[in-house]
Amino acid sequence: MLVFSSDRHRHPRAMMVDQRNSAQPISQLPPELISHIVALGFPIPSYFGESRKPQPCPYLKILVSLTAISRIWRNAIIGTPSLWGLLSTNQPLRINRISLERSRSCPLMIEIGPFVQPTWTKANELLDVALPHWNRWSHASLWLPNLDQIMAHLSSEAPSLERFHVWTDPAGFPNPTPINLFGGYAPRLWDVWVLGLPIIWDSEGARGLRRLSLQHLHHGVISVDDILSLLTVNPLLESFDIMHSAIGASRLKAPSTRIPPVQLLNLKTIKLQHIPVGVVGNILRCFRAPNCEVFRLQADGKPDNPFDADEFLDQSLGHFNAFLRSTLDFRRSSQLHLYQDHIQWICSSPRIFDAPSFSINISAIKMNSSVPWIAQLLDQGTDHALRLSVFPSLFEIDEEDLAGLESLSLIPHVRTLKMYPGLRQSTQFILDLLGGTNEVTKSSTFPGLEVLQIECISERGLLDLESMLMHRYGEPGRGVMGAGPIRIVVKLPLRDSPGGQSDERIQNDHLVRIRTLPGVESVTLESTFHQDEMLASIYDDDLGDGSNLL
């Protein structure tokens, strides 16, 4: 059994530990094999980006702890230059100098992170040490308030650079002059993550990429044409991300229909977030990603000018329909949020990472133009067991919104509806839909509904709910057909008045009465305080006449 002792120079037991460990079979391995084992177990590239985390993983501490196994391991690790290529502001400058000396001519990984205090002094000191070895840089993760010290090198050739991540303050470039990234020569570069840095986008240095992330690019330093050019010259792209950027308009009046879309067969991840909807439309229209696995879209419209989304949804998102359907079938559930000025459709789960997912958030969109597109997607080729949860949050309802909600009520995949009675107009209309019929098929609206959730329901809201249930299930001859039983989940408002307890008792009695109505499978009263230890009050068949509270 190996014994670790990192204090060999201070503890008298250290020499005994070293002698004992040196006699173990693992210490009899050739030095080259020991170095290979360490490199496989703790590869330096896997620690790239650790400096951006609040609690970075201490690579060097791990390496030093391994040298304490025995003198043989110590000599093998210290004598392997490729294990010492990490220079970071998370390490003292003295340690960085030692690592640089031990790395000899091996590639360097430079990390300047934002979570070290004070940061900028350490950043400048590290750059003073590392910049003379620019040609050896293979990985660079730089978080800097300005790029004055490094700007000249960004226009120099980078023969060894593979991954380049840089965060800087866009305000540091009031009149940006784009740079020719790496002088157009970075033959090994495949990963670029840029925040705030103006670049000449048709540079040879921006070719052959597999990952590209552009964030907070302002002052029109990049246009739609530049983005399309980037996609064209990077056919092996696997991840494409643009966020919070003021993208200049295309010099073309409209994308040419004669130019075939760029085929990006390796593209797995697409993220276009906080980008004007017109720009998003032009970008999505001009490429195809048949093997996409992660799709994040947040398109910003003008709140004072809601747009009709038919053309956008058809021409820009239409070629993603097959991916959206397959993701829905895989996940089996999704959530649709309908707000006054935008829609949000989410099909993902934080518990499952390596699986298809999408999130579509479009602002200033007319609901009546988006719901039919969603209904068509769900109707063509998706599993009928798919579950759609809908959360309408509409303050005002106009005729177009009414048409959108009516279209929504015909979708058989809607399993859960969550309403907010504070939004009186939309809630009343949805309850009217639930109590009505599809005039074409004479069947129930929301035919697949299983759960109805109502937040902070008042006594008036309970009366409306009871009326809806009686219309939906209790009046033969109205033509309501195919309405399955539903589970009702309600949350009562807080009671601060002296008569609060009395009012609460009246509401509880009303809930008991609602539970006895036909078509009601159960009634659950949720806690207003969201406390995990509080049991909900449930009215179901196990409670007999429903007069008891669990």
Side-chain angles (χ1 to χ4, degrees):
M1 180 181 69
L2 291 174
V3 179
F4 286 83
S5 176
S6 59
D7 200 17
R8 60 163 44 93
H9 299 295
R10 300 179 183 178
H11 201 286
R13 188 167 171 264
M15 186 172 294
M16 295 178 57
V17 170
D18 181 71
Q19 292 176 351
R20 178 174 180 175
N21 287 348
S22 296
Q24 301 299 318
I26 195 171
S27 292
Q28 306 305 314
L29 297 173
E32 297 82 0
L33 189 54
I34 293 175
S35 301
H36 189 61
I37 291 172
V38 175
L40 288 178
F42 306 96
I44 289 185
S46 67
Y47 292 85
F48 182 67
E50 284 291 329
S51 64
R52 302 194 303 273
K53 300 178 181 179
Q55 296 180 340
C57 185
Y59 169 78
L60 196 62
K61 288 184 178 180
I62 296 174
L63 201 62
V64 171
S65 69
L66 293 175
T67 65
I69 292 178
S70 70
R71 187 172 301 277
I72 295 175
W73 272 67
R74 174 182 172 82
N75 293 338
I77 291 173
I78 292 178
T80 305
S82 60
L83 298 177
W84 297 93
L86 174 62
L87 308 182
S88 171
T89 50
N90 290 322
Q91 303 169 177
L93 182 61
R94 178 180 62 86
I95 301 300
N96 284 322
R97 292 183 184 275
I98 293 174
S99 296
L100 180 63
E101 180 182 355
R102 291 178 177 176
S103 68
R104 300 179 188 175
S105 61
C106 286
L108 298 176
M109 187 169 76
I110 313 300
E111 296 244 337
I112 297 178
F115 298 106
V116 180
Q117 296 180 354
T119 61
W120 310 133
T121 300
K122 289 190 175 183
N124 291 331
E125 291 176 347
L126 179 58
L127 287 175
D128 288 339
V129 170
L131 283 176
H133 306 273
W134 172 259
N135 288 343
R136 292 170 54 195
W137 285 30
S138 66
H139 295 59
S141 176
L142 312 176
W143 194 297
L144 298 166
N146 63 72
L147 300 177
D148 294 342
Q149 190 173 359
I150 196 175
M151 185 61 76
H153 288 79
L154 295 181
S155 299
S156 304
E157 293 183 354
S160 302
L161 196 61
E162 300 177 18
R163 305 180 70 180
F164 177 67
H165 294 187
V166 59
W167 291 258
T168 189
D169 185 1
F173 299 93
N175 298 302
T177 300
I179 64 173
N180 183 13
L181 191 62
F182 309 128
Y185 184 76
R188 299 184 179 182
L189 186 65
W190 61 271
D191 181 4
V192 172
W193 188 329
V194 170
L195 189 153
L197 180 65
I199 295 174
I200 298 175
W201 300 106
D202 59 356
S203 167
E204 291 292 326
R207 293 174 178 263
L209 304 178
R210 298 205 302 271
R211 295 181 184 174
L212 177 61
S213 178
L214 309 175
Q215 300 183 23
H216 293 276
L217 300 179
H218 303 311
H219 310 293
V221 298
I222 188 169
S223 69
V224 173
D225 299 333
D226 295 327
I227 294 172
L228 299 182
S229 297
L230 277 171
L231 295 177
T232 302
V233 299
N234 290 288
L236 300 180
L237 203 62
E238 298 173 3
S239 177
F240 177 48
D241 180 358
I242 304 180
M243 295 177 59
H244 297 281
S245 295
I247 299 174
S250 172
R251 292 182 292 272
L252 304 174
K253 293 183 178 179
S256 175
T257 56
R258 298 180 181 178
I259 302 176
V262 180
Q263 298 295 325
L264 301 173
L265 303 182
N266 291 353
L267 189 56
K268 306 292 186 183
T269 301
I270 302 170
K271 297 180 181 180
L272 303 176
Q273 301 181 79
H274 297 289
I275 305 296
V277 67
V279 172
V280 171
N282 286 336
I283 295 174
L284 292 179
R285 204 177 286 136
C286 295
F287 74 89
R288 299 292 182 268
N291 299 311
C292 179
E293 295 180 356
V294 177
F295 186 74
R296 300 282 184 273
L297 172 63
Q298 185 158 353
D300 298 334
K302 298 180 179 180
D304 57 346
N305 186 26
F307 74 103
D308 192 319
D310 290 342
E311 181 179 354
F312 174 81
L313 296 173
D314 180 45
Q315 298 186 17
S316 300
L317 283 180
H319 57 92
F320 286 96
N321 285 357
F323 159 72
L324 299 178
R325 292 191 191 101
S326 64
T327 303
L328 289 166
D329 282 340
F330 178 86
R331 296 280 183 175
R332 309 284 289 181
S333 65
S334 64
Q335 301 84 42
L336 175 63
H337 298 260
L338 301 174
Y339 299 98
Q340 194 66 43
D341 57 351
H342 69 277
I343 67 165
Q344 185 179 37
W345 194 12
I346 302 173
C347 185
S348 63
S349 171
R351 299 179 181 178
I352 306 177
F353 298 101
D354 299 328
S357 65
F358 69 79
S359 174
I360 298 174
N361 193 328
I362 308 174
S363 65
I365 186 174
K366 294 181 180 179
M367 187 181 64
N368 66 312
S369 62
S370 60
V371 171
W373 171 71
I374 295 171
Q376 183 182 17
L377 259 178
L378 294 171
D379 190 47
Q380 296 181 357
T382 56
D383 193 328
H384 290 292
L386 177 72
R387 308 179 66 84
L388 176 63
S389 300
V390 180
F391 307 89
S393 300
L394 306 172
F395 293 96
E396 298 178 357
I397 301 289
D398 57 22
E399 291 186 1
E400 293 182 341
D401 293 329
L402 292 179
L405 290 174
E406 288 175 348
S407 298
L408 183 69
S409 72
L410 305 181
I411 300 178
H413 302 84
V414 178
R415 311 297 183 189
T416 300
L417 264 175
K418 185 172 183 178
M419 298 185 297
Y420 307 88
L423 309 175
R424 176 69 184 168
Q425 188 180 15
S426 61
T427 300
Q428 183 61 55
F429 183 76
I430 293 174
L431 287 176
D432 290 343
L433 282 175
L434 283 167
T437 61
N438 180 346
E439 295 300 327
V440 177
T441 62
K442 296 301 179 183
S443 61
S444 64
T445 54
F446 295 103
L449 188 65
E450 298 175 357
V451 179
L452 178 63
Q453 296 179 259
I454 306 180
E455 292 278 325
C456 300
I457 190 168
S458 63
E459 182 63 26
R460 173 64 184 276
L462 290 174
L463 290 171
D464 293 339
L465 175 61
E466 184 177 8
S467 176
M468 179 276 291
L469 293 169
M470 294 180 65
H471 281 76
R472 186 174 178 89
Y473 299 104
E475 294 188 4
R478 285 179 49 85
V480 179
M481 300 172 58
I486 60 174
R487 302 191 301 275
I488 298 175
V489 180
V490 299
K491 184 178 293 184
L492 300 179
L494 291 172
R495 296 292 181 184
D496 297 327
S497 61
Q501 293 183 351
S502 175
D503 292 339
E504 184 175 347
R505 184 59 190 175
I506 293 174
Q507 289 181 326
N508 287 338
D509 291 342
H510 202 158
L511 289 174
V512 172
R513 188 165 71 248
I514 287 176
R515 170 62 190 93
T516 63
L517 295 176
V520 180
E521 182 177 314
S522 67
V523 176
T524 301
L525 177 60
E526 284 191 338
S527 167
T528 306
F529 299 97
H530 301 285
Q531 295 182 7
D532 295 337
E533 65 272 13
M534 293 182 66
L535 293 176
S537 302
I538 303 176
Y539 305 80
D540 59 16
D541 291 336
D542 294 334
L543 300 178
D545 60 0
S547 60
N548 297 319
L549 228 60
L550 286 182

